[in-house]
Amino acid sequence: MIITIIGLGLIGGSLALGLRESGFADSVIGVDNNPGHAEMATTLGLADMMLPLAEAVRRSDVIVVATPVDSLTVLLPQVLDLVGQKQVVLDVGSTKGPVLQSVQQHTNRSRFVATHPMAGTEYSGPEAAVRGLFEGKCCVFTDVDNSAADALAVARQLYEALGMRLTYLNGPEHDLHVAYVSHISHIASFALALTVLEKEREEQRIFELASGGFSSTVRLAKSNPDTWIPIFRQNRDNVLDVLDEFINTVSRFRTLLI
């Protein structure tokens, strides 16, 4: 099994480690348009080789697109243009609406399986890749009725090899639920970190005084904004709804303290 992973950051790099160590992948080909990331991925052993997109796709059984969500709507149709009827294409995006729409009419749509492995850390880049990141976590498959049975079977085997639990939703359900269980957590963390920094300018003093509770609460504020801004934009309507609910809850809490 030859796997190409496009985008060897936290998720792509961790997939590369997990799929090789599980024995699912015999070889991992990397594709990354950031020269620094490509060099680091090779140094860290995340990929056996780095190749241009077209050549990497041509050599592969499975292609995983692990780039930020704002690039998926352009990149996925390009990858599907290159694949044959025995290859499988996966994405790992945190939002699904625009992605699914971008490939809806593609002639190779059946070779694509839309997935979202619900795992991650606050770090980014190839050096953030973590062994065992996905073990015991949930992977969401979306709109599986539009994927070929053999492609879906390969995708299931891939995530099961990583030790993940599988669940199934349609695109709108996925985007609604992740707004509540994932996206709002990052917004709250960003907001709390900014609020505290406004009052306490010395960052070192904050962590000198704070206990583990504060550190764990603001951990996600370290996340790469280049990753999260496109997610918030693509899932704007659901994020606004959950923000309204969150603001109402905080307001009620404030009222109780008056």
Side-chain angles (χ1 to χ4, degrees):
M1 181 73 74
I2 301 174
I3 311 290
T4 279
I5 299 178
I6 304 170
L8 287 162
L10 165 65
I11 299 300
S14 298
L15 279 169
L17 291 173
L19 292 174
R20 183 184 285 111
E21 290 180 356
S22 70
F24 185 87
D26 298 303
S27 178
V28 176
I29 300 172
V31 178
D32 203 303
N33 63 5
N34 182 321
H37 282 186
E39 182 178 355
M40 180 62 71
T42 303
T43 300
L44 294 172
L46 302 181
D48 297 300
M49 65 185 80
M50 303 296 295
L51 291 176
L53 176 65
E55 185 177 357
V57 171
R58 180 177 59 80
R59 293 191 183 198
S60 302
D61 301 298
V62 177
I63 301 96
V64 181
V65 186
T67 60
V69 296
D70 55 343
S71 66
L72 289 177
T73 55
V74 175
L75 191 53
L76 275 170
Q78 292 176 353
V79 172
L80 287 174
D81 286 342
L82 299 169
V83 299
Q85 290 306 302
K86 292 186 178 180
Q87 293 173 290
V88 180
V89 179
L90 311 176
D91 83 311
V92 295
S94 298
T95 57
K96 285 291 173 273
V99 168
L100 292 168
Q101 187 175 5
S102 73
V103 300
Q104 184 176 359
Q105 302 301 324
H106 200 285
T107 54
N108 283 331
R109 170 63 182 86
S110 66
R111 307 314 305 165
F112 171 62
V113 184
T115 70
H116 179 196
M118 300 285 289
T121 72
E122 66 272 32
Y123 301 109
S124 60
E127 62 273 24
V130 179
R131 285 179 167 80
L133 178 66
F134 306 100
E135 188 170 351
K137 305 291 177 43
C138 176
C139 183
V140 183
F141 282 55
T142 56
D143 287 21
V144 294
D145 290 344
N146 293 320
S147 301
D150 66 306
L152 190 57
V154 170
R156 286 172 174 151
Q157 292 164 13
L158 183 150
Y159 286 111
E160 287 170 350
L162 296 170
M164 299 199 79
R165 298 175 287 106
L166 310 184
T167 191
Y168 304 87
L169 296 170
N170 63 39
E173 287 175 335
H174 168 275
D175 288 356
L176 173 64
H177 289 304
V178 295
Y180 276 87
V181 302
S182 173
H183 301 172
I184 189 60
S185 301
H186 284 79
I187 294 171
S189 186
F190 292 139
L192 178 59
L194 289 171
T195 300
V196 173
L197 286 171
E198 280 294 315
K199 295 296 183 181
E200 177 57 79
R201 299 289 182 173
E202 297 182 36
E203 185 175 344
Q204 186 59 41
R205 177 59 58 85
I206 294 173
F207 288 98
E208 182 180 301
L209 297 173
S211 65
F214 178 78
S215 297
S216 62
T217 303
V218 300
R219 174 182 64 83
L220 295 176
K222 300 176 185 177
S223 300
N224 188 346
D226 291 337
T227 297
W228 280 95
I229 289 171
I231 291 172
F232 296 147
R233 285 176 176 160
Q234 286 198 5
N235 205 20
R236 175 181 177 274
D237 291 344
N238 289 318
V239 168
L240 286 173
D241 284 344
V242 70
L243 265 177
D244 287 341
E245 295 289 341
F246 182 67
I247 291 167
N248 288 336
T249 300
V250 173
S251 295
R252 291 198 301 271
F253 192 92
R254 183 183 184 280
T255 301
L256 292 172
L257 291 176
I258 296 175

mmCIF file of all heavy atoms in Angstrom, residues 15 116-119 133-140 156 158-166:
data_model
loop_
_atom_site.group_PDB
_atom_site.id
_atom_site.type_symbol
_atom_site.label_atom_id
_atom_site.label_comp_id
_atom_site.label_asym_id
_atom_site.label_seq_id
_atom_site.Cartn_x
_atom_site.Cartn_y
_atom_site.Cartn_z
ATOM 1 N N LEU A 15 -0.454 11.183 10.695
ATOM 2 C CA LEU A 15 -0.981 10.084 9.880
ATOM 3 C C LEU A 15 0.153 9.259 9.286
ATOM 4 O O LEU A 15 0.102 8.026 9.284
ATOM 5 C CB LEU A 15 -1.853 10.642 8.747
ATOM 6 C CG LEU A 15 -3.283 11.030 9.086
ATOM 7 C CD1 LEU A 15 -3.902 11.797 7.922
ATOM 8 C CD2 LEU A 15 -4.126 9.801 9.404
ATOM 9 N N HIS A 116 -13.094 13.219 8.779
ATOM 10 C CA HIS A 116 -12.556 14.181 9.752
ATOM 11 C C HIS A 116 -12.109 13.432 10.994
ATOM 12 O O HIS A 116 -12.915 13.148 11.880
ATOM 13 C CB HIS A 116 -13.613 15.229 10.117
ATOM 14 C CG HIS A 116 -13.127 16.236 11.122
ATOM 15 N ND1 HIS A 116 -13.981 17.059 11.825
ATOM 16 C CD2 HIS A 116 -11.871 16.556 11.544
ATOM 17 C CE1 HIS A 116 -13.279 17.840 12.627
ATOM 18 N NE2 HIS A 116 -12.001 17.543 12.490
ATOM 19 N N PRO A 117 -10.811 13.089 11.084
ATOM 20 C CA PRO A 117 -10.297 12.479 12.311
ATOM 21 C C PRO A 117 -10.261 13.530 13.417
ATOM 22 O O PRO A 117 -9.563 14.533 13.315
ATOM 23 C CB PRO A 117 -8.892 12.013 11.918
ATOM 24 C CG PRO A 117 -8.507 12.857 10.745
ATOM 25 C CD PRO A 117 -9.777 13.218 10.040
ATOM 26 N N MET A 118 -11.029 13.315 14.474
ATOM 27 C CA MET A 118 -11.179 14.299 15.542
ATOM 28 C C MET A 118 -10.028 14.152 16.537
ATOM 29 O O MET A 118 -10.160 13.552 17.608
ATOM 30 C CB MET A 118 -12.522 14.116 16.244
ATOM 31 C CG MET A 118 -13.732 14.265 15.339
ATOM 32 S SD MET A 118 -14.087 15.969 14.920
ATOM 33 C CE MET A 118 -14.687 16.593 16.469
ATOM 34 N N ALA A 119 -8.885 14.690 16.158
ATOM 35 C CA ALA A 119 -7.699 14.624 17.002
ATOM 36 C C ALA A 119 -6.800 15.788 16.645
ATOM 37 O O ALA A 119 -6.866 16.319 15.530
ATOM 38 C CB ALA A 119 -6.961 13.298 16.797
ATOM 39 N N LEU A 133 -1.398 9.696 17.910
ATOM 40 C CA LEU A 133 -2.322 10.823 18.052
ATOM 41 C C LEU A 133 -3.777 10.391 17.904
ATOM 42 O O LEU A 133 -4.664 10.923 18.576
ATOM 43 C CB LEU A 133 -1.994 11.896 17.006
ATOM 44 C CG LEU A 133 -2.911 13.127 16.986
ATOM 45 C CD1 LEU A 133 -2.759 13.940 18.276
ATOM 46 C CD2 LEU A 133 -2.619 14.006 15.766
ATOM 47 N N PHE A 134 -4.045 9.427 17.036
ATOM 48 C CA PHE A 134 -5.423 9.088 16.675
ATOM 49 C C PHE A 134 -6.008 7.920 17.469
ATOM 50 O O PHE A 134 -7.203 7.658 17.380
ATOM 51 C CB PHE A 134 -5.498 8.771 15.175
ATOM 52 C CG PHE A 134 -4.934 9.862 14.312
ATOM 53 C CD1 PHE A 134 -3.649 9.768 13.782
ATOM 54 C CD2 PHE A 134 -5.678 10.991 14.041
ATOM 55 C CE1 PHE A 134 -3.126 10.783 12.994
ATOM 56 C CE2 PHE A 134 -5.175 12.009 13.261
ATOM 57 C CZ PHE A 134 -3.891 11.910 12.729
ATOM 58 N N GLU A 135 -5.187 7.244 18.224
ATOM 59 C CA GLU A 135 -5.637 6.030 18.911
ATOM 60 C C GLU A 135 -6.758 6.337 19.906
ATOM 61 O O GLU A 135 -6.631 7.213 20.768
ATOM 62 C CB GLU A 135 -4.467 5.367 19.632
ATOM 63 C CG GLU A 135 -4.806 4.004 20.199
ATOM 64 C CD GLU A 135 -3.578 3.266 20.696
ATOM 65 O OE1 GLU A 135 -2.450 3.735 20.457
ATOM 66 O OE2 GLU A 135 -3.762 2.211 21.326
ATOM 67 N N GLY A 136 -7.878 5.628 19.760
ATOM 68 C CA GLY A 136 -9.013 5.796 20.648
ATOM 69 C C GLY A 136 -9.885 6.997 20.347
ATOM 70 O O GLY A 136 -10.906 7.201 21.011
ATOM 71 N N LYS A 137 -9.508 7.799 19.354
ATOM 72 C CA LYS A 137 -10.282 8.984 18.997
ATOM 73 C C LYS A 137 -11.346 8.628 17.947
ATOM 74 O O LYS A 137 -11.365 7.521 17.391
ATOM 75 C CB LYS A 137 -9.361 10.071 18.454
ATOM 76 C CG LYS A 137 -8.223 10.442 19.381
ATOM 77 C CD LYS A 137 -8.717 11.142 20.601
ATOM 78 C CE LYS A 137 -7.586 11.452 21.583
ATOM 79 N NZ LYS A 137 -6.361 11.948 21.002
ATOM 80 N N CYS A 138 -12.224 9.591 17.675
ATOM 81 C CA CYS A 138 -13.329 9.381 16.736
ATOM 82 C C CYS A 138 -12.997 9.971 15.371
ATOM 83 O O CYS A 138 -12.458 11.078 15.276
ATOM 84 C CB CYS A 138 -14.593 10.047 17.299
ATOM 85 S SG CYS A 138 -16.013 9.970 16.183
ATOM 86 N N CYS A 139 -13.327 9.246 14.314
ATOM 87 C CA CYS A 139 -13.223 9.767 12.954
ATOM 88 C C CYS A 139 -14.627 9.827 12.353
ATOM 89 O O CYS A 139 -15.349 8.820 12.356
ATOM 90 C CB CYS A 139 -12.330 8.893 12.087
ATOM 91 S SG CYS A 139 -12.120 9.562 10.412
ATOM 92 N N VAL A 140 -14.999 10.994 11.847
ATOM 93 C CA VAL A 140 -16.315 11.184 11.252
ATOM 94 C C VAL A 140 -16.223 11.002 9.742
ATOM 95 O O VAL A 140 -15.405 11.654 9.077
ATOM 96 C CB VAL A 140 -16.874 12.588 11.566
ATOM 97 C CG1 VAL A 140 -18.287 12.723 11.000
ATOM 98 C CG2 VAL A 140 -16.871 12.851 13.067
ATOM 99 N N ARG A 156 -12.111 2.960 5.709
ATOM 100 C CA ARG A 156 -12.397 2.372 7.026
ATOM 101 C C ARG A 156 -11.192 1.598 7.555
ATOM 102 O O ARG A 156 -10.828 1.710 8.731
ATOM 103 C CB ARG A 156 -13.608 1.440 6.923
ATOM 104 C CG ARG A 156 -14.943 2.167 6.786
ATOM 105 C CD ARG A 156 -16.039 1.175 6.490
ATOM 106 N NE ARG A 156 -17.361 1.785 6.480
ATOM 107 C CZ ARG A 156 -18.384 1.356 5.758
ATOM 108 N NH1 ARG A 156 -18.244 0.283 4.979
ATOM 109 N NH2 ARG A 156 -19.553 1.966 5.806
ATOM 110 N N LEU A 158 -8.100 2.049 6.842
ATOM 111 C CA LEU A 158 -7.030 2.997 7.168
ATOM 112 C C LEU A 158 -7.205 3.555 8.582
ATOM 113 O O LEU A 158 -6.276 3.529 9.403
ATOM 114 C CB LEU A 158 -7.011 4.126 6.134
ATOM 115 C CG LEU A 158 -5.916 5.192 6.241
ATOM 116 C CD1 LEU A 158 -5.581 5.747 4.850
ATOM 117 C CD2 LEU A 158 -6.315 6.359 7.157
ATOM 118 N N TYR A 159 -8.407 4.030 8.885
ATOM 119 C CA TYR A 159 -8.619 4.640 10.204
ATOM 120 C C TYR A 159 -8.687 3.597 11.316
ATOM 121 O O TYR A 159 -8.274 3.867 12.452
ATOM 122 C CB TYR A 159 -9.870 5.506 10.189
ATOM 123 C CG TYR A 159 -9.638 6.809 9.445
ATOM 124 C CD1 TYR A 159 -10.263 7.056 8.219
ATOM 125 C CD2 TYR A 159 -8.778 7.778 9.952
ATOM 126 C CE1 TYR A 159 -10.039 8.244 7.536
ATOM 127 C CE2 TYR A 159 -8.547 8.954 9.279
ATOM 128 C CZ TYR A 159 -9.180 9.186 8.077
ATOM 129 O OH TYR A 159 -8.939 10.361 7.399
ATOM 130 N N GLU A 160 -9.175 2.413 11.003
ATOM 131 C CA GLU A 160 -9.169 1.348 12.003
ATOM 132 C C GLU A 160 -7.745 0.915 12.331
ATOM 133 O O GLU A 160 -7.438 0.553 13.476
ATOM 134 C CB GLU A 160 -10.007 0.168 11.519
ATOM 135 C CG GLU A 160 -11.512 0.455 11.563
ATOM 136 C CD GLU A 160 -12.347 -0.604 10.862
ATOM 137 O OE1 GLU A 160 -11.747 -1.466 10.176
ATOM 138 O OE2 GLU A 160 -13.589 -0.554 10.982
ATOM 139 N N ALA A 161 -6.852 0.972 11.326
ATOM 140 C CA ALA A 161 -5.441 0.656 11.574
ATOM 141 C C ALA A 161 -4.808 1.656 12.536
ATOM 142 O O ALA A 161 -3.859 1.321 13.258
ATOM 143 C CB ALA A 161 -4.668 0.639 10.253
ATOM 144 N N LEU A 162 -5.343 2.865 12.575
ATOM 145 C CA LEU A 162 -4.859 3.891 13.500
ATOM 146 C C LEU A 162 -5.496 3.780 14.883
ATOM 147 O O LEU A 162 -5.161 4.550 15.787
ATOM 148 C CB LEU A 162 -5.140 5.282 12.933
ATOM 149 C CG LEU A 162 -4.419 5.656 11.632
ATOM 150 C CD1 LEU A 162 -4.975 6.961 11.070
ATOM 151 C CD2 LEU A 162 -2.909 5.778 11.865
ATOM 152 N N GLY A 163 -6.434 2.852 15.031
ATOM 153 C CA GLY A 163 -7.099 2.662 16.319
ATOM 154 C C GLY A 163 -8.244 3.622 16.559
ATOM 155 O O GLY A 163 -8.615 3.868 17.717
ATOM 156 N N MET A 164 -8.847 4.141 15.501
ATOM 157 C CA MET A 164 -9.917 5.124 15.648
ATOM 158 C C MET A 164 -11.293 4.461 15.653
ATOM 159 O O MET A 164 -11.497 3.390 15.070
ATOM 160 C CB MET A 164 -9.868 6.157 14.522
ATOM 161 C CG MET A 164 -8.582 6.958 14.465
ATOM 162 S SD MET A 164 -8.732 8.491 13.517
ATOM 163 C CE MET A 164 -9.542 9.558 14.717
ATOM 164 N N ARG A 165 -12.238 5.128 16.328
ATOM 165 C CA ARG A 165 -13.652 4.756 16.271
ATOM 166 C C ARG A 165 -14.297 5.517 15.114
ATOM 167 O O ARG A 165 -13.964 6.681 14.883
ATOM 168 C CB ARG A 165 -14.361 5.127 17.571
ATOM 169 C CG ARG A 165 -13.825 4.407 18.796
ATOM 170 C CD ARG A 165 -14.493 4.907 20.063
ATOM 171 N NE ARG A 165 -14.036 6.248 20.440
ATOM 172 C CZ ARG A 165 -14.738 7.364 20.298
ATOM 173 N NH1 ARG A 165 -15.966 7.334 19.776
ATOM 174 N NH2 ARG A 165 -14.258 8.532 20.682
ATOM 175 N N LEU A 166 -15.218 4.890 14.405
ATOM 176 C CA LEU A 166 -15.819 5.506 13.230
ATOM 177 C C LEU A 166 -17.270 5.862 13.489
ATOM 178 O O LEU A 166 -18.008 5.100 14.126
ATOM 179 C CB LEU A 166 -15.744 4.552 12.028
ATOM 180 C CG LEU A 166 -14.370 3.927 11.723
ATOM 181 C CD1 LEU A 166 -14.461 3.081 10.453
ATOM 182 C CD2 LEU A 166 -13.296 4.998 11.583
#
